């Protein structure tokens, strides 16, 4: 067992070191002899055993003695650990490829491929005190009236519901990817603004009125808001400038914003969003699958197309 | 002898492994080199890297002169009557093979060796026995691996053509009574070849006093560059030998169907020589003479006595050769029942940077006959210290406790 273990470990080390490459060759010779039903007479195992025991001897004679007497057993233990760690590594890589996180969909534990956890970060929504941590499992569209949100291409079979915030970094990271996905696929797209930053609260009403005035221009306006420097989004004059440039009638919009009907509609939108149990932005529902945080494009694409994305 | 001062001459002692000093106890295989030997080799390559004995230009003349000087130094070192009795070889093995293949041995000729010869003094005779039918006789050792002089006397007669023996064994450090052996052999007109690879670095040798016919040793065991060796032969015998390796610089002249060989030593030194090595070997001999053999043997015996006394009582540990360390020169060769010698050597290396030899030391035949798998061999030289010996002993005890 030791020779096999040594072959794997030394082959990896051998990529970087000529000394280990030579040892890997010796380990291969030993393994090859064993699989061809010949005894391993190269003395490789004994050599490595002596080297390892010698290294440990000065630090702990007890451990050195234990290793010397139970070398095969220790080899087995390390082999099992190696197989287990390989399994977890492969599983982590697989999860990362599929979900952008080594730990699974929307899981935030440490991931070597995404050490800073960027793919799972969200802008937290201030909610009422709760003993339990918000969970992705609670996210749902059941009972949520989606008809009150801006929608594009409503008849398409595939559906994306994007809950985001104009002024939030992670939403702004995910939005262009979702736009790319929409551009490349026949998709029904619903956008729900859930402002996490106070200074952009007014954009919910602004967006409602813009959509009400001109549904086609709304999507240009939406794109323009996400393309803008987020420092400017709290400035109504700046937003007016964007809307005006797109062709909106600002007087109509201002009147709409001030109306009681708009306030009630926006309040209703918030209530509907709350029913999803959203706890951070961006939260994206793609054909019912929830993706929290800005995922890599491949993750969104696979969620939309399944294995067809190959 | 101020060992610490001498050690400063060896750049190796400034080296460390994993920030710890290295203890070199593998001197029977190859010794370390002083700076003067390294300089001599480097100077050749840097200042006059030319051919010796051929070209006429000044660089070539200097090479010829330097090699000639080295030959003279070595001739004086072994007590040869004339420098032409010194033939440069690559090592002891080549020297022995030169005699074996040039002596003109015939079918039925008897060659006598001992039962613990290095492969270099065993295999050539086995091959000649197979090829031309010489008879190879082996003298069994007495108790404690001492040379079997009585057995030797019984074997000797006029039909024996050559006695070929290791003067000092690389297995256990035991030195044979060469002077007595040579006298007995010569009574029957038998030639004697001595392998002094393990003697020349440690003891003064005088070929004239010994009256030995041939003598071979290596430079790399006595501070010289690796790949250097010497064969001494009495001049009148060398004149009769037919060289087994011929070619460049071995002839006075040649035609398409004949040639005239040069006299010894040139006729045995075919092809371009290791000039740097030869010059370095000359320098090594100079250095050894400066240190003095009395100092060398005294230091080796002191260390051997200390190590032997410290380890002799370790259970299941057996020292090969005589119990008395003074009869084992600078060699402490031992085995531990049920323990792989390589494992001990590797653990000493990995745990404390102690370099010793393990295995059968090219004396497979002896180990096979005794059914011993191998031994650990610590071989000492004058530059080894008491402190190193103490570290070795302590670490060895530690290793044994683990095994």
């Amino acid at each position: 067992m030791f020779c096999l273990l040594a072959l794997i470990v030394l082959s990896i080390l051998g990529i970087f070191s000529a000394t280990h490459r030579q040892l890997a060759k010796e380990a291969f010779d030993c393994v090859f002899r064993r699989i061809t039903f010949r005894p391993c007479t190269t003395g490789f195992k004994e050599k490595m055993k002596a080297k390892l025991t010698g290294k440990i001897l000065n630090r702990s004679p007890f451990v050195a003695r234990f290793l010397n007497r139970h070398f095969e057993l220790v080899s087995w233990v390390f082999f099992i650990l190696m197989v287990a760690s390989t399994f977890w590594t492969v599983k982590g890589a697989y999860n990362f490829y599929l979900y952008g996180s080594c730990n699974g969909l929307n899981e935030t534990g440490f991931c070597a491929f995404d050490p800073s956890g960027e793919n799972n970060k969200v802008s937290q929504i201030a909610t009422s005190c709760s003993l339990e941590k918000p969970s992705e499992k609670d996210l749902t569209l059941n009972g949520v009236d989606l008809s009150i949100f801006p929608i594009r291409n409503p008849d398409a079979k595939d559906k994306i519901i994007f809950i985001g915030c104009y002024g939030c970094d992670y939403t702004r990271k995910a939005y262009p990817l979702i736009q790319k996905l929409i551009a490349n696929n026949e998709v029904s797209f619903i956008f729900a603004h859930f402002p996490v930053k106070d200074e952009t609260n007014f954009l919910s009403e602004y967006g409602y009125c813009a959509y009400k005035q001109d549904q086609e221009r709304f999507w240009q306006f939406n794109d323009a808001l996400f393309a803008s420097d987020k420092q400017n989004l709290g400035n109504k004059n700046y937003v007016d400038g964007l809307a005006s440039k797109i062709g909106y009638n600002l007087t109509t919009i201002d009147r709409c914003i001030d109306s009681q009907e708009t306030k009630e509609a926006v309040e209703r939108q918030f209530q509907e969003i709350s029913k999803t149990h959203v706890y951070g932005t961006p939260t994206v529902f793609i054909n019912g699958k929830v993706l929290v945080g800005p995922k890599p494009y491949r993750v969104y694409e696979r969620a939309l197309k399944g294995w067809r994305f190959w | 002898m101020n060992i610490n001062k001498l050690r400063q001459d060896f750049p190796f002692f400034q080296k460390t492994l994993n920030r710890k000093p290295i203890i070199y106890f593998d001197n029977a295989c190859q010794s370390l080199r002083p700076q003067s030997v390294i300089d001599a080799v480097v100077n050749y390559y840097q200042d006059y890297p030319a051919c010796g004995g051929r070209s006429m230009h000044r660089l070539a003349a200097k090479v010829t002169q330097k090699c000639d000087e080295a030959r003279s130094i070595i001739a004086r070192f072994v007590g040869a009557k004339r420098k032409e009795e010194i033939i440069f070889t690559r090592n002891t093995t080549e020297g022995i093979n030169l005699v074996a293949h040039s002596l003109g041995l015939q079918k039925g000729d008897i060659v006598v060796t001992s039962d613990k010869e290095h492969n270099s003094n065993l295999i050539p005779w086995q091959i000649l026995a197979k090829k031309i039918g010489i008879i190879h006789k082996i003298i069994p050792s007495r108790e404690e691996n001492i040379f079997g002089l009585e057995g030797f006397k019984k074997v000797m007669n006029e039909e024996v053509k050559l006695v070929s023996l290791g003067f000092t064994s690389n297995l256990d450090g035991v030195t044979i009574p060469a002077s007595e052996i040579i006298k007995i052999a010569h009574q029957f007109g038998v030639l004697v070849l001595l392998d002094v690879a393990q003697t020349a670095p440690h003891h003064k040798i005088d070929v004239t006093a010994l009256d030995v016919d041939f003598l071979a040793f290596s430079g790399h065991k006595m501070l010289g560059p690796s790949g250097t060796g010497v064969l001494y032969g009495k001049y009148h015998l060398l004149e009769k030998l037919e060289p087994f390796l011929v070619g460049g610089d071995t002839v006075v002249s040649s035609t398409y169907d004949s040639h005239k060989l040069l006299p010894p030593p040139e006729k045995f030194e075919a092809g371009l020589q290791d000039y740097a090595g030869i010059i370095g070997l000359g320098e090594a001999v100079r250095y050894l003479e400066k240190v003095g053999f009395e100092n060398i043997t005294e230091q080796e015996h002191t260390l051997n006595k200390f190590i032997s006394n410290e380890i002799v009582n370790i259970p299941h540990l057996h020292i090969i050769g005589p119990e008395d360390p003074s009869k084992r020169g600078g060699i402490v060769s031992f085995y531990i029942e049920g323990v792989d010698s390589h494992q001990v050597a590797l653990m000493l290396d990995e745990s404390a940077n102690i370099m010793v030899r393990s295995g059968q030391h090219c004396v497979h035949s002896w180990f096979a006959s005794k059914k011993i798998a191998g031994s650990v061999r610590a071989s000492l030289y004058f530059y080894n210290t008491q402190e190193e010996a103490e570290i070795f002993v302590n670490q060895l005890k530690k290793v044994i406790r683990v095994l």
Side-chain angles (χ1 to χ4, degrees), chain B residues 139-358:
Chain B
I139 310 297
S141 297
R142 282 168 38 214
E143 70 288 352
E144 290 196 317
N145 265 4
I146 302 294
F147 183 74
L149 198 59
E150 291 308 312
F152 173 72
K153 284 176 185 168
K154 281 180 197 164
V155 166
M156 288 309 294
N157 58 49
E158 283 80 4
E159 285 170 23
V160 176
K161 284 288 178 282
L162 181 73
V163 171
S164 183
L165 296 168
F167 197 163
T168 303
S169 169
N170 71 313
L171 168 69
D172 53 18
V174 172
T175 297
I176 60 170
S179 193
E180 204 174 342
I181 290 166
I182 292 164
K183 266 183 205 154
I184 295 165
H186 284 177
Q187 282 168 13
F188 295 95
V190 178
L191 297 174
V192 178
L193 162 63
L194 287 180
D195 163 0
V196 297
Q198 300 295 341
T199 321
H202 310 280
H203 301 282
K204 175 68 188 160
I205 289 171
D206 187 337
V207 290
T208 307
L210 277 171
D211 196 25
V212 67
D213 302 294
F214 300 104
L215 181 137
F217 58 95
S218 299
H220 52 257
K221 297 183 200 296
M222 44 182 281
L223 314 180
S226 54
T228 58
V230 168
L231 174 70
Y232 157 83
K234 286 177 179 168
Y235 193 77
H236 71 276
L237 294 173
L238 291 179
E239 276 183 312
K240 287 181 204 161
L241 292 192
E242 285 293 323
F244 83 115
L245 195 67
V246 287
D249 219 27
T250 55
V251 293
V252 179
S253 64
S254 65
T255 65
Y256 286 127
D257 50 16
S258 68
H259 62 268
K260 188 174 182 233
L261 288 170
L262 280 161
E266 283 89 352
K267 72 173 180 177
F268 298 107
E269 294 175 350
L272 199 99
Q273 296 296 289
D274 178 5
Y275 303 118
I278 291 167
I279 294 163
L281 180 56
E283 193 54 45
V285 168
R286 265 201 199 111
Y287 188 91
L288 269 182
E289 287 177 329
K290 201 171 75 185
V291 176
F293 282 111
E294 279 181 13
N295 292 326
I296 291 171
T297 47
E298 188 190 337
Q299 178 66 1
E300 289 170 2
H301 284 167
T302 305
L303 297 183
N304 196 336
K305 191 177 167 190
F306 170 77
I307 292 172
S308 298
N309 289 343
E310 285 288 324
I311 69 171
V312 73
N313 291 323
I314 293 175
H316 311 296
L317 185 146
H318 303 276
I319 294 176
I320 297 173
E323 202 174 305
D324 179 0
S326 68
K327 291 180 182 167
R328 285 187 270 107
I331 288 178
V332 191
S333 189
F334 59 90
Y335 63 95
I336 304 156
E337 287 170 29
V339 173
D340 178 19
S341 61
H342 294 309
Q343 190 176 2
V344 176
L346 282 167
M347 285 179 72
L348 288 171
D349 174 8
E350 289 292 339
S351 61
N353 290 345
I354 298 169
M355 310 296 161
V356 291
R357 175 90 177 258
S358 54

Side-chain angles (χ1 to χ4, degrees), chain B residues 45-108:
Chain B
Y45 286 116
Q46 280 183 349
D47 300 340
Y48 49 100
C51 292
R54 293 164 170 80
S55 308
M56 300 304 289
H57 52 78
R58 279 177 289 172
L59 290 186
K62 185 163 183 184
V63 176
T64 308
Q65 177 219 325
K66 285 277 184 185
C67 289
D68 209 43
E69 268 176 36
R71 202 185 297 277
S72 298
I73 290 167
I74 293 160
R76 192 189 67 230
F77 175 68
V78 297
K81 285 178 183 158
R82 48 194 294 189
K83 64 180 182 185
E84 289 79 10
E85 292 176 324
I86 300 299
I87 298 161
F88 288 119
T89 60
R90 282 183 300 158
N91 43 47
T92 310
T93 302
E94 187 177 306
I96 295 170
N97 271 274
L98 195 156
V99 174
H101 291 91
S102 304
L103 202 57
L105 292 170
Q106 306 288 320
K107 188 177 179 182

Side-chain angles (χ1 to χ4, degrees), chain A residues 140-142 144-147 149-152 157-164 178 181-182 187-193 219 272-273 276 278 282-292 300 304:
Chain A
T140 180
L141 289 174
N142 289 339
V144 180
D145 180 6
L146 295 171
S147 65
F149 296 101
I151 185 164
R152 190 177 183 182
K157 191 179 145 205
D158 292 319
K159 299 198 184 307
I160 297 177
I161 294 99
F162 188 104
I163 302 171
I178 295 296
L181 195 66
I182 294 166
V187 179
S188 161
F189 177 64
I190 291 172
F191 177 77
H193 182 233
W219 297 110
E272 291 304 315
I273 291 172
T276 64
V278 65
T283 296
V284 184
F285 292 85
I286 300 180
N287 289 336
K289 180 169 265 183
V290 197
L291 301 160
V292 182
Y300 291 127
L304 181 70

Side-chain angles (χ1 to χ4, degrees), chain B residues 8-22:
Chain B
Q8 287 171 12
D9 295 338
F10 292 79
F12 176 81
F13 290 122
Q14 275 139 43
K15 303 276 172 211
T16 56
L17 267 177
N18 299 326
R19 293 191 293 277
K20 281 193 290 187
I22 305 165

